Amino acid sequence: MQYSELGTFIKHKRQQKGLSLNRFAMEAEIDPAILCRIENLRQGIKLDVLEKIAFALDMKLSKFLAEYEKFYKV
């Protein structure tokens, strides 16, 4: 399975919530610089960070990934 666009999907979901990158990073308890690099596909994403992002989106990780796969038809 390819997850090369995961950062783009994270940005899409963040923007749907109407949150700035800095605000979302604070809610997810991750460094804004890391989130920026992830969203711009310049850095990979660790599982623990992905779990924090899903939680900040009020989702379980499994649901988040299922939505990603459906959105990108993975």
Side-chain angles (χ1 to χ4, degrees):
M1 224 173 262
Q2 289 291 332
Y3 289 92
S4 59
E5 297 295 325
L6 193 53
T8 304
F9 185 67
I10 292 167
K11 184 175 185 177
H12 169 76
K13 296 297 283 183
R14 173 181 61 78
Q15 290 174 335
Q16 276 187 328
K17 284 191 77 166
L19 295 173
S20 69
L21 186 139
N22 287 330
R23 176 70 184 173
F24 185 71
M26 185 177 78
E27 287 187 13
E29 300 178 354
I30 58 176
D31 186 306
I34 291 172
L35 180 59
C36 182
R37 289 192 300 268
I38 289 169
E39 286 188 352
N40 291 299
L41 309 177
R42 293 190 316 247
Q43 177 175 326
I45 185 167
K46 294 180 180 181
L47 186 57
D48 64 322
V49 173
L50 188 56
E51 286 177 319
K52 289 179 179 183
I53 289 170
F55 184 75
L57 292 167
D58 299 319
M59 303 172 86
K60 289 186 176 188
L61 182 56
S62 58
K63 181 179 179 193
F64 176 82
L65 290 174
E67 277 193 30
Y68 168 80
E69 291 173 358
K70 183 177 179 184
F71 189 80
Y72 282 99
K73 296 178 175 68
V74 174

